[in-house]
């Protein structure tokens, strides 16, 4: 870790938790990224305050990545700066990694890990597990993956520097996400089974509710994300209509 | 005092949504329980949170996308449901939460526009001090936004939904079924995302069987 050292790595890691603190439509993660780099840049340019401020300004440019994987870019950027790479090289590196770090993180975390853990915990809830246990299970299970990914990301970036793309490819995060899909399908099946036919499920309230639930499930399955907003709007609409009908004399 | 505490909780959880940490304390399952616990009714909070979690399973804070804000919406929904009580508390709270989540999402978009003016760009003569200050102010603004959104939602909920809860005609079980049916759409969407029925039929059917049988055997 050369001039950077363990303390700088820890400071960068902690700052990576607020990397989206000033997310905006001009530079997206850019300002948060520069903010997280400050301890490292201060160390690298300790003897040259002018060069330090210049480096801060350079890193205020547009940048985007999944927040949990931003540590990979943070670590690799610090390593490049530490090695004295020309600003254009650092800029090109950041431009090259921002797309993959965004899409990979979205696929792995938002589209796989988060819903998988949430569904497992919803199944626990609707099968009668104690509430506190459900919430604790969700937070612990989710954050084991979350924190593990953040720690691995920053460490990989600091170690690999400009070769981080190769390390990222070798880690096979996209394949890992795909490997979780059958587990996700199993969990969704368990959730659907619990909600429809489990104890206190829709079928026990009335078979007509179970039938409507089955139709709703198929609508989501066929339409995908296009079905989400209409379903939410319809729920709100039906609740409003029932409220108004209930208020009639 | 109760409204203030819930509003501050909404502000703190809104921070976890995007700006600080993302430990998922902001997910409805957790936010609902915390809001309910603050009101001495963690059970109702968790019930509202679980239903909203089901709805928001497929809504993620990806990049620049506009998304419903689950944290403040759930605190509003759980806070309202626990306050109004009765069989209508759950559907009315959930409906308000879904509506408020969209309004809160619009305020996130607005804040991101404000942030664009607030933070220095690479072309400015900004220093590290300027950057640190702007970054900190943006985080504080997000907290204030979350607090105000939650406070206003709770005020609207308590004023407008109290009479509706009194007149709510459905029983507790039908009310739960009503909100679950809408949420089940998200489960379908999720299976679609995990590869669809054709690719995952064995896993899905195994899960379905487990879901029906295991709770009956326990």
């Amino acid at each position: 870790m050369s001039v950077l050292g363990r303390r700088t790595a820890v400071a960068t890691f902690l700052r990576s938790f607020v990397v989206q603190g000033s997310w905006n439509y001009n530079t997206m993660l850019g300002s948060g990224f520069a903010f997280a780099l400050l301890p490292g840049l201060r160390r690298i340019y300790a003897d040259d305050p002018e060069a330090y401020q210049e480096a801060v300004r350079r890193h205020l440019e547009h940048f985007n990545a999944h927040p949990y994987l931003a540590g990979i870019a943070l670590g690799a950027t610090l390593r490049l700066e530490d090695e004295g790479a020309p600003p254009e090289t650092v800029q090109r590196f950041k431009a090259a990694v921002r797309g993959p770090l965004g899409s990979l993180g979205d696929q792995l975390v938002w589209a796989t890990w988060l819903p998988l853990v949430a569904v497992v915990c919803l199944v626990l809830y609707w099968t009668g597990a104690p509430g506190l246990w459900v919430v604790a299970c969700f937070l612990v299970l989710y954050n084991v993956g979350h924190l593990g990914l953040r720690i691995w990301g920053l460490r990989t970036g600091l170690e690999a520097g400009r070769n981080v793309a190769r390390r990222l490819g070798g880690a096979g995060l996209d394949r890992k996400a795909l490997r979780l899909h059958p587990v996700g399908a199993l969990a969704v099946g368990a959730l659907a089974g619990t909600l429809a036919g489990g104890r206190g499920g829709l079928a026990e309230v009335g078979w007509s509710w179970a039938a409507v639930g089955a139709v709703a499930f198929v609508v989501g399955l066929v339409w995908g994300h296009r079905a989400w907003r209409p379903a939410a709007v319809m729920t709100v609409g039906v609740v409003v209509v029932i409220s108004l009908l209930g208020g009639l004399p | 005092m109760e409204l203030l505490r819930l509003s501050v909780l909404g502000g703190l959880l809104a921070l976890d949504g995007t700006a600080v940490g993302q430990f998922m304390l902001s997910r409805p399952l957790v936010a609902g329980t915390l809001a309910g616990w603050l009101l001495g009714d963690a059970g109702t909070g968790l019930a509202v949170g679980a239903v909203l979690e089901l709805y928001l399973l497929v809504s993620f804070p990806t990049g620049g996308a506009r998304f419903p804000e689950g944290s403040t919406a759930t605190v509003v929904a759980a806070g309202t449901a626990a306050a109004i009580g009765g069989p209508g508390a759950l559907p009315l709270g959930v409906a308000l939460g879904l509506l408020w989540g969209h309004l809160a999402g619009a305020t996130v978009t607005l804040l991101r526009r404000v942030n664009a003016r607030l933070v220095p760009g690479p072309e400015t003569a900004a220093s590290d001090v300027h950057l640190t200050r702007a970054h900190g102010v943006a985080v504080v603004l997000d907290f204030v936004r979350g607090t105000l959104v939650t406070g206003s939602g709770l005020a609207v909920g308590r004023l407008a939904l109290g009479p509706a809860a009194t007149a709510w005609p459905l029983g507790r079980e039908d009310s739960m079924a009503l909100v679950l049916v809408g949420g089940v759409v998200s489960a379908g969407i999720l299976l679609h995302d995990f590869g669809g029925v054709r690719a995952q039929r064995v896993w899905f059917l195994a899960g379905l069987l487990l879901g029906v049988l295991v709770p009956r055997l326990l």
Side-chain angles (χ1 to χ4, degrees):
Chain A
M1 264 187 271
S2 64
V3 71
L4 295 169
R6 197 176 179 81
R7 259 181 84 171
T8 311
V10 171
T12 308
F13 178 69
L14 292 177
R15 283 177 181 236
S16 76
F17 284 96
V18 291
V19 76
Q20 293 197 121
S22 53
W23 205 101
N24 65 84
Y25 289 114
N26 280 354
T27 61
M28 295 192 165
L29 219 74
S31 49
F33 191 83
F35 175 77
L37 285 176
L38 288 181
L41 294 177
R42 204 176 291 133
R43 193 91 191 246
I44 293 165
Y45 297 102
D47 302 329
D48 191 347
E50 263 307 303
Y52 165 62
Q53 296 296 353
E54 181 51 41
V56 172
R57 278 192 288 277
R58 275 195 282 116
H59 286 293
L60 284 169
E61 66 185 352
H62 174 273
F63 184 73
N64 205 17
H66 187 278
Y68 297 177
L69 293 181
I72 295 180
L74 284 169
T77 302
L78 282 178
R79 175 80 187 263
L80 283 169
E81 290 279 358
D82 188 30
E83 290 171 353
E88 304 75 40
T89 305
V90 180
Q91 200 174 12
R92 271 203 304 275
F93 167 78
K94 282 170 67 181
V97 296
R98 67 185 174 209
L101 288 183
S103 58
L104 198 57
D106 287 351
Q107 191 195 347
L108 180 66
V109 183
W110 297 152
T112 305
W113 185 241
L114 174 61
L116 173 62
V117 175
V119 167
V120 167
C121 293
L122 286 177
V123 172
L124 289 176
Y125 172 71
W126 267 298
T127 47
L132 191 66
W133 203 85
V134 172
V135 173
C137 175
F138 173 76
L139 287 175
V140 171
L141 195 59
Y142 178 80
N143 283 303
V144 164
H146 163 207
L147 294 173
L149 192 59
R150 280 197 193 257
I151 292 167
W152 172 83
L154 184 64
R155 187 177 288 169
T156 302
L158 284 167
E159 282 171 6
R162 70 182 75 214
N163 297 320
V164 79
R166 202 177 307 148
R167 289 280 293 273
L168 199 56
L173 294 181
D174 49 349
R175 289 193 301 277
K176 285 190 172 89
L178 282 177
R179 234 176 278 154
L180 284 173
H181 282 191
V183 186
L186 182 81
V188 171
L191 179 65
T194 310
L195 292 177
R199 213 165 34 190
L202 293 173
E204 277 189 12
V205 182
W207 281 102
S208 51
W209 280 119
V212 178
V215 170
F217 185 84
V218 172
V219 165
L221 186 62
V222 174
W223 281 11
H225 285 260
R226 279 172 300 162
W228 187 83
R229 210 172 289 267
V233 170
M234 201 174 281
T235 303
V236 174
V238 170
V239 169
V240 169
V241 169
I242 291 176
S243 299
L244 292 174
L245 291 176
L248 290 177
Chain B
M1 199 61 198
E2 187 180 277
L3 274 185
L4 184 68
R5 271 190 294 164
L6 282 173
S7 303
V8 170
L9 175 70
L12 291 172
L13 294 179
L15 284 181
D16 179 71
T18 309
V20 182
Q22 293 197 307
F23 295 101
M24 296 302 131
L25 297 162
S26 50
R27 288 303 297 185
L29 203 58
V30 186
T33 310
L34 289 173
W37 175 71
L38 270 185
L39 291 170
D41 189 359
T44 298
L46 179 58
V48 171
V51 172
L52 281 174
E53 185 69 59
L54 188 60
Y55 276 87
L56 299 176
L57 268 178
V58 290
S59 165
F60 321 119
T62 47
R66 185 158 157 182
F67 52 90
E69 189 181 45
S71 53
T72 51
T74 307
V75 175
V76 167
T80 303
I84 60 180
L90 181 72
L92 289 167
V94 166
L96 179 65
L98 289 171
L99 196 66
W100 219 257
H102 277 90
L103 292 174
T107 65
V108 172
T109 305
L110 190 68
L111 180 69
R112 288 174 168 188
R113 292 210 180 100
V114 172
N115 283 347
R117 292 165 181 266
L118 190 71
V119 296
E123 71 289 347
T124 60
S127 66
D128 58 339
V129 177
H130 186 188
L131 167 65
T132 304
R133 196 179 301 142
H135 195 69
V137 169
V139 171
V140 171
L141 282 179
D142 197 22
F143 168 73
V144 173
R145 180 199 61 78
T147 304
L148 291 176
V149 164
T150 308
S152 52
L154 285 165
V156 168
R158 287 176 185 210
L159 285 174
L161 298 187
T166 318
W168 183 258
L170 299 183
R172 210 170 284 275
E173 288 185 337
D174 284 312
S175 300
M176 175 59 105
L178 173 69
V179 286
L180 280 186
V181 161
V184 165
V185 173
S186 292
I189 297 171
L190 207 52
L191 183 60
H192 176 272
D193 288 355
F194 284 143
V197 171
R198 206 170 294 171
Q200 308 288 6
R201 60 183 177 276
V202 175
W203 293 96
F204 174 70
L205 290 173
L208 197 64
L209 211 61
L210 283 173
V212 173
L213 294 179
V214 170
R216 289 168 190 274
L217 297 174
L218 285 175

